[in-house]
Amino acid sequence: MKFRYLAGIFLISSATLCLEISLTRYFTISQHYHFAFLVVSMAFLGYGASGSFLSIFKKITHLNRNKFLCWCAFFYSLTIFSSYLLCNHLSFDFTQISWNNNQIFFILIYYLLFSLPFFFAGTIISFAITTTTKAVNKIYFSDLIGSGIGTLGVLIIFLPKGDKGVILLISFLPLIAALLFSPRRSHAFRGLTGFLLVGGIVLFFQSPDWLSFRISPYKALPSALRYSQSKHLLTKWNAQSRVDVIDSPAVRYAPGLSLLYQKKLPSQLGLTIDGGSLTAITRFDPSKPESLKFLSYLPSSLAYSFKQNPQTLLLNPKGGLDLLEAVHYNASSIKAVENNPLIIEVLQDELSSFYGNLYRQENLHVTSSHLRSALKKESRNYELVVFSLTDVFGSSGTGLYGFGENYLYTKESFLNVLERLSPKGIVSMSFYLLPPPRQELRALATWVEALEKKDKAPSTHLMALRSWGTLHYFIKNTPFNQEEIQKLKEFSDKYLFDLVHYPGIKKNETNIHNQFNTPLYYNRVQKLLSPKKREKFYSNYLFQIRPVTDNSPFFYNFFKINKLKKSFKALNQKLLPFLRGRFLVHLLLVQAIIIAFVLILLPLFVLKKRGSKKGKTFVNVFFYFGLIGMAFMFVEITLIQKFILFLGHPIYSTSIIIFSLLLSSGLGSFFSRKILSSPIQKNLKKFLLLCGGVTAAYLFLLPLFTQSLIGLGLTLKILLTFLVIFPLGFLMGFPFPNGIRLVEKKERKFIPWAWAVNAFSSVINSVAALLLAFWGGYNLVFILAAGGYLLTVPFLSFSDHRNKPHS
């Protein structure tokens, strides 16, 4: 096969993976969450449907290869652009599902429209493999290498024009591939392709607003801008986020401010990340320190009365209210760890004067890093560690992001924080009150078990305070003494806050100023602090509040299957929290199974009917390629999730893991023909057993790798990630191309069927992996991946040449 064909395959695959990962950014901005599992499912739906298409319309494989490939690449480019425009202008929003049944239909439309470009990409690859089986290793190699390079392109593709240029840049690649596939096409075709390229370039430089990602009207940015006299001031992009700065009356941020404070707050601007997570930037004028007097009326300020001029560590301060508080109370040294470098850039540059050049304070050190990485890398101890509460609207605690991972609120994370405390150091942590209580109780349960892990009595190391709208925890490395308890009581009385817990608290001391019908927070906290009552409380409580771990980091996944009816009633019979939580994944899985079956498997039962005498081969091909598709997806999804913590962001994890897996498996595919000598079937069995064993071994090796090296710099971690993934990925490149070689020896017409089944399995298992992780954690998903490779061995009998040498 000529180099230009392989180069065309490379560009098609690069566009495919770049589009796939860019869609995760699209969903993050437009629909609150990256939905990586859904994007993977849509991609494989298109690929699987392409295999079915070629199987049913077999005469297509006899068409002129040049002509077919170049037109498919042409339509691939068109559908990338047109599918995006259509979906971006549909009035679809996951939030509306609970009251608008039509939105379920729109999910289907989204699913099919975004699958369409992948259909053409899959048709190109499947057609090339079907018509050139002798070069399958080279094609598969070019496919996987192109895919790997495409994942890295996402790291820079947003930089030139932000969201307005991304889709255009991706759509250029298939057009160039079309020219490579058939350089001798008619002048009309080349002129049409050139016209589209020129038109796309003009659009790219003009960057009209209708190319921008549509943001859900229920996200913080559009919600705040709907207030009168609101103004949009600034938008900035990088690979991992979009940051906006606004001036809006909606931005009034002083969480838990005492009702005794009657003066006006300082001027504040709003800052949003990816159109959501609105936080406030408070004007600071060093010449007018009296403007910060309101800080002493905040419950969080109590932490600075326990220790004068503390060495302070701030975790994710965002707009910086906690940073202002640390400066106001003369912290001797301040380290702020912010996981988004764009926020630091905006506060240091564009808003430096508004923020009083605060980031240039001599005793302040600001760093951009994933919080867990920073905690692991940090060598010094701190007298005060602050978990910043930054969401103005408080939406993160509602459970709307139940399938989103949060590695900061796991038991392992809290243990890391305790290790960074000085002997008498204190942790300050705040939550909004969002009844019925769930996030605040789960956080407390996590602290309780983390303290017990350190052989500490939680009831003596913890104090809690409640305002009219917030709950604040103070966790100390040593037991709180009487002087500190007295300060808590005096502070509570002075500012009309309510006591929730201190060592030796009485029930009649609680629920005085901001009253509930019963002292519900006191009652629940006491049950969590009691080793005898805690387990029963976990089981009987309406919501899931057991501590989460790095293996299953779904902190906001509160709902219990056996208490759905009661939860529905407690949430005023609102469906939204359920459909925006884990139960949306159930809906998406059912949809994926139905659509994938109709578009991929159902048409191919015609193939079985035509070749009924080949029933055993038909079944074995189904299970073999289905199982290796399942195993590959389970490994990929698990590694993406586990490396979010190690690499610091979903976009980095998704890009680097897919790049590493595809590059290494592409090389494995390329060299597998030479490595797997005759007899192929016998040697392939050995490699499948080896692949299953190595996958299982990674389950034990990866924690050692990530935990010991998480504190390194990002560049070095990316390199090490590739090196550690490479051996497993190399082995994972063997099963598919060599399975194709064996199927070809039996009957060539089963090759599209094998391709389709592999894609069908990938469609449903990319979603199923997340559901399994909810149930048993990602370690279970990885174990099932290893089992999938082992279970393929009995289904290798689709070759009639078991004991004959194969070329």
Side-chain angles (χ1 to χ4, degrees):
M1 178 170 273
K2 294 182 179 180
F3 174 78
R4 59 183 175 84
Y5 289 107
L6 297 177
I9 296 292
F10 172 89
L11 290 175
I12 293 296
S13 299
S14 294
T16 300
L17 264 293
C18 199
L19 174 64
E20 191 174 328
I21 299 176
S22 295
L23 287 178
T24 67
R25 294 290 302 124
Y26 172 75
F27 280 116
T28 298
I29 293 168
S30 67
Q31 302 290 341
H32 304 274
Y33 180 66
H34 56 73
F35 287 100
F37 66 92
L38 179 63
V39 174
V40 171
S41 179
M42 291 188 299
F44 278 100
L45 173 66
Y47 266 61
S50 71
S52 298
F53 174 75
L54 292 177
S55 295
I56 298 302
F57 302 100
K58 296 183 66 63
K59 292 183 179 179
I60 290 177
T61 58
H62 301 297
L63 294 176
N64 180 276
R65 184 177 64 184
N66 295 350
K67 184 177 181 180
F68 184 79
L69 288 177
C70 71
W71 278 109
C72 280
F74 180 82
F75 283 112
Y76 180 30
S77 177
L78 286 183
T79 54
I80 288 174
F81 189 69
S82 58
S83 294
Y84 164 73
L85 286 183
L86 288 171
C87 288
N88 198 45
H89 288 84
L90 280 176
S91 58
F92 168 73
D93 197 290
F94 279 113
T95 305
Q96 296 183 32
I97 294 175
S98 61
W99 68 83
N100 185 351
N101 294 333
N102 292 332
Q103 295 297 311
I104 297 178
F105 173 72
F106 281 135
I107 293 180
L108 174 64
I109 298 299
Y110 248 56
Y111 203 76
L112 293 175
L113 281 176
F114 275 132
S115 297
L116 188 58
F118 297 108
F119 168 81
F120 285 103
T123 299
I124 292 168
I125 306 300
S126 184
F127 181 86
I129 290 176
T130 303
T131 56
T132 323
T133 53
K134 291 183 179 180
V136 63
N137 295 69
K138 293 181 179 180
I139 295 172
Y140 196 51
F141 172 75
S142 299
D143 172 36
L144 295 182
I145 297 298
S147 298
I149 297 300
T151 62
L152 298 182
V154 179
L155 301 179
I156 59 172
I157 200 170
F158 282 90
L159 299 181
K161 292 289 184 178
D163 53 349
K164 296 178 182 179
V166 170
I167 299 300
L168 284 169
L169 289 175
I170 296 172
S171 66
F172 291 161
L173 298 180
L175 287 179
I176 298 171
L179 296 175
L180 289 172
F181 285 137
S182 188
R184 298 180 181 177
R185 291 298 303 152
S186 66
H187 292 296
F189 176 82
R190 293 185 346 192
L192 180 60
T193 304
F195 174 77
L196 289 179
L197 279 171
V198 172
I201 292 171
V202 171
L203 274 179
F204 178 79
F205 284 104
Q206 289 184 343
S207 300
D209 289 339
W210 50 268
L211 285 175
S212 298
F213 292 173
R214 184 183 69 88
I215 301 177
S216 165
Y218 304 99
K219 295 192 76 173
L221 177 60
S223 296
L225 287 175
R226 282 196 290 270
Y227 283 71
S228 62
Q229 299 181 332
S230 296
K231 292 184 292 184
H232 185 275
L233 304 178
L234 173 70
T235 298
K236 297 195 76 171
W237 286 86
N238 65 4
Q240 70 184 62
S241 69
R242 161 183 171 160
V243 167
D244 292 85
V245 177
I246 60 173
D247 186 359
S248 169
V251 183
R252 187 180 183 277
Y253 179 69
L257 182 69
S258 171
L259 298 177
L260 295 178
Y261 188 80
Q262 300 296 317
K263 296 181 180 180
K264 187 178 180 181
L265 291 176
S267 175
Q268 292 180 322
L269 297 178
L271 184 146
T272 66
I273 298 94
D274 288 335
S277 302
L278 177 63
T279 186
I281 307 165
T282 304
R283 179 182 288 277
F284 173 56
D285 186 347
S287 65
K288 299 178 181 179
E290 66 276 6
S291 66
L292 299 182
K293 186 177 180 181
F294 77 98
L295 293 174
S296 62
Y297 288 76
L298 298 179
S300 56
S301 67
L302 174 62
Y304 292 92
S305 68
F306 295 137
K307 173 68 178 178
Q308 298 297 312
N309 313 119
Q311 295 177 334
T312 304
L313 174 65
L314 305 176
L315 301 178
N316 248 14
K318 301 298 182 190
L321 186 63
D322 289 310
L323 183 54
L324 278 178
E325 200 169 44
V327 171
H328 180 67
Y329 285 102
N330 299 311
S332 60
S333 68
I334 306 169
K335 181 170 183 177
V337 182
E338 172 57 58
N339 65 4
N340 192 326
L342 262 187
I343 294 178
I344 298 175
E345 184 179 320
V346 168
L347 292 178
Q348 285 181 333
D349 299 334
E350 285 86 352
L351 298 180
S352 59
S353 58
F354 183 88
Y355 202 45
N357 295 307
L358 196 63
Y359 273 22
R360 292 181 173 86
Q361 293 265 341
E362 290 184 3
N363 65 335
L364 172 62
H365 175 59
V366 182
T367 182
S368 175
S369 172
H370 188 268
L371 303 182
R372 290 287 298 278
S373 299
L375 288 170
K376 194 71 176 178
K377 189 176 182 179
E378 189 62 58
S379 57
R380 64 181 295 189
N381 292 332
Y382 293 88
E383 294 167 316
L384 177 61
V385 177
V386 179
F387 282 75
S388 293
L389 178 64
T390 57
D391 190 353
V392 171
F393 291 156
S395 60
S396 61
T398 60
L400 299 184
Y401 308 99
F403 43 75
E405 59 286 330
N406 186 320
Y407 286 99
L408 185 59
Y409 288 174
T410 66
K411 188 189 297 187
E412 294 90 339
S413 175
F414 285 8
L415 287 169
N416 290 159
V417 172
L418 289 174
E419 291 170 358
R420 295 277 63 82
L421 284 181
S422 65
K424 295 184 180 181
I426 290 175
V427 176
S428 174
M429 192 175 202
S430 306
F431 292 95
Y432 290 108
L433 299 182
L434 296 170
R438 45 206 189 273
Q439 58 159 350
E440 53 269 52
L441 295 183
R442 175 167 258 178
L444 177 63
T446 309
W447 278 119
V448 167
E449 294 197 13
L451 287 166
E452 289 178 342
K453 184 82 172 177
K454 292 286 188 178
D455 296 322
K456 301 177 188 291
S459 62
T460 63
H461 290 257
L462 185 139
M463 296 200 297
L465 184 71
R466 178 173 62 83
S467 73
W468 58 269
T470 54
L471 181 67
H472 302 262
Y473 295 132
F474 303 96
I475 302 95
K476 191 180 177 187
N477 219 355
T478 56
F480 282 100
N481 57 42
Q482 287 302 314
E483 181 183 354
E484 291 163 336
I485 292 172
Q486 188 60 33
K487 287 182 178 180
L488 171 72
K489 291 180 178 181
E490 292 173 356
F491 184 81
S492 173
D493 289 338
K494 181 178 180 180
Y495 295 108
L496 302 184
F497 298 135
D498 286 284
L499 299 171
V500 175
H501 176 78
Y502 67 81
I505 192 172
K506 306 299 182 191
K507 188 174 183 178
N508 60 9
E509 296 179 274
T510 67
N511 202 37
I512 295 173
H513 303 296
N514 307 282
Q515 292 186 351
F516 289 99
N517 292 332
T518 62
L520 62 91
Y521 280 96
Y522 166 82
N523 293 337
R524 286 161 173 75
V525 167
Q526 297 311 308
K527 289 178 181 179
L528 287 173
L529 290 172
S530 171
K532 294 181 179 179
K533 298 179 181 179
R534 189 187 313 149
E535 194 61 37
K536 184 177 180 180
F537 183 56
Y538 283 160
S539 301
N540 295 338
Y541 194 60
L542 184 61
F543 297 103
Q544 179 61 266
I545 58 170
R546 291 181 186 274
V548 297
T549 66
D550 289 347
N551 180 44
S552 185
F554 307 108
F555 181 84
Y556 296 111
N557 176 32
F558 300 119
F559 299 111
K560 293 180 176 179
I561 298 292
N562 62 343
K563 295 187 183 293
L564 288 183
K565 187 175 181 180
K566 292 182 179 179
S567 300
F568 181 65
K569 185 177 180 181
L571 294 168
N572 296 320
Q573 299 185 350
K574 294 179 180 178
L575 285 173
L576 178 60
F578 297 93
L579 293 176
R580 290 294 308 279
R582 63 182 290 184
F583 297 101
L584 176 61
V585 185
H586 290 79
L587 175 64
L588 294 174
L589 178 61
V590 171
Q591 175 184 272
I593 292 173
I594 294 173
I595 295 176
F597 179 79
V598 170
L599 294 183
I600 299 175
L601 293 188
L602 187 60
L604 284 168
F605 279 114
V606 176
L607 180 64
K608 182 178 185 300
K609 186 175 180 180
R610 291 175 184 171
S612 57
K613 294 181 181 180
K614 308 292 184 181
K616 183 179 178 181
T617 300
F618 188 89
V619 170
N620 284 355
V621 168
F622 177 86
F623 280 104
Y624 176 83
F625 286 95
L627 284 169
I628 64 172
M630 179 201 78
F632 199 105
M633 276 297 101
F634 280 6
V635 169
E636 183 176 300
I637 297 296
T638 301
L639 290 177
I640 287 173
Q641 292 294 333
K642 283 184 174 291
F643 276 82
I644 288 175
L645 172 59
F646 184 69
L647 294 172
H649 194 275
I651 194 70
Y652 294 143
S653 179
T654 303
S655 299
I656 302 307
I657 291 301
I658 293 179
F659 168 77
S660 301
L661 277 178
L662 295 184
L663 179 60
S664 56
S665 58
L667 290 171
S669 167
F670 184 78
F671 290 106
S672 64
R673 180 180 286 269
K674 295 180 179 180
I675 294 174
L676 278 186
S677 56
S678 299
I680 299 174
Q681 185 170 321
K682 181 178 178 180
N683 290 331
L684 183 56
K685 283 183 179 181
K686 294 179 181 178
F687 268 83
L688 289 168
L689 294 172
L690 179 62
C691 199
V694 171
T695 302
Y698 267 60
L699 182 65
F700 301 98
L701 296 175
L702 283 178
L704 299 176
F705 170 79
T706 56
Q707 291 171 16
S708 60
L709 301 176
I710 192 172
L712 298 177
L714 179 61
T715 303
L716 185 55
K717 286 194 292 187
I718 288 174
L719 176 61
L720 291 173
T721 297
F722 172 76
L723 293 176
V724 79
I725 297 301
F726 187 89
L728 177 59
F730 188 82
L731 289 175
M732 290 167 61
F734 280 65
F736 183 82
N738 289 287
I740 291 291
R741 289 170 63 191
L742 289 175
V743 170
E744 184 189 15
K745 297 294 181 179
K746 180 68 176 178
E747 190 167 347
R748 186 174 176 176
K749 73 176 184 179
F750 282 105
I751 293 177
W753 168 243
W755 176 270
V757 167
N758 186 260
F760 172 79
S761 178
S762 300
V763 168
I764 62 173
N765 285 305
S766 57
V767 182
L770 188 58
L771 286 180
L772 288 169
F774 280 137
W775 180 59
Y778 283 108
N779 288 345
L780 172 64
V781 181
F782 221 64
I783 291 171
L784 293 176
Y789 281 118
L790 298 178
L791 287 174
T792 57
V793 174
F795 299 104
L796 271 175
S797 59
F798 42 71
S799 174
D800 284 339
H801 303 268
R802 190 175 308 171
N803 300 314
K804 297 180 182 180
H806 303 304
S807 57

